[in-house]
Amino acid sequence: MKITAHALTQRLQERLNPVFVEVLDESAAHAGHVGANDSGFGTHFRVRIQSEIFTGKSRVSRHRLVYDALQEYIDQGLHALAIEVIENT
């Protein structure tokens, strides 16, 4: 199964009901690094997300929610995930 930005976005929308979510596949920039594959996609992602579910939670708790939502993809080879949580205003 291919890991795509679209698939990760859908999963985050289903699990965390974000008001904003952006997932960027940065895999090509990591070619040759540990965990990268030969295809240049599907291993390294950046997530920018804002959700009411994060309100009152620590940074670690917020990141854990994102990791838990994407665990299936981590198990399939998602190697690196940069998470940027946008504060609710």
Side-chain angles (χ1 to χ4, degrees):
M1 176 174 167
K2 267 193 203 178
I3 301 171
T4 64
H6 178 72
L8 299 181
T9 299
Q10 282 188 307
R11 177 61 54 88
L12 291 167
Q13 288 172 333
E14 292 166 3
R15 301 280 173 92
L16 302 179
N17 193 30
V19 295
F20 172 81
V21 64
E22 178 181 44
V23 179
L24 305 169
D25 187 343
E26 298 179 337
S27 302
H30 297 275
H33 294 187
V34 173
N37 61 31
D38 294 334
S39 69
F41 68 88
T43 58
H44 293 70
F45 290 89
R46 177 170 305 277
V47 172
R48 295 182 179 123
I49 188 166
Q50 179 180 15
S51 176
E52 294 293 327
I53 199 169
F54 297 138
T55 302
K57 293 192 173 28
S58 70
R59 181 177 183 214
V60 171
S61 294
R62 293 171 181 185
H63 285 215
R64 177 52 47 206
L65 287 166
V66 174
Y67 283 117
D68 288 349
L70 300 178
Q71 187 61 52
E72 174 185 351
Y73 298 100
I74 294 167
D75 293 344
Q76 294 174 17
L78 191 160
H79 174 72
L81 188 63
I83 302 170
E84 299 174 23
V85 173
I86 301 165
E87 296 291 330
N88 292 317
T89 55

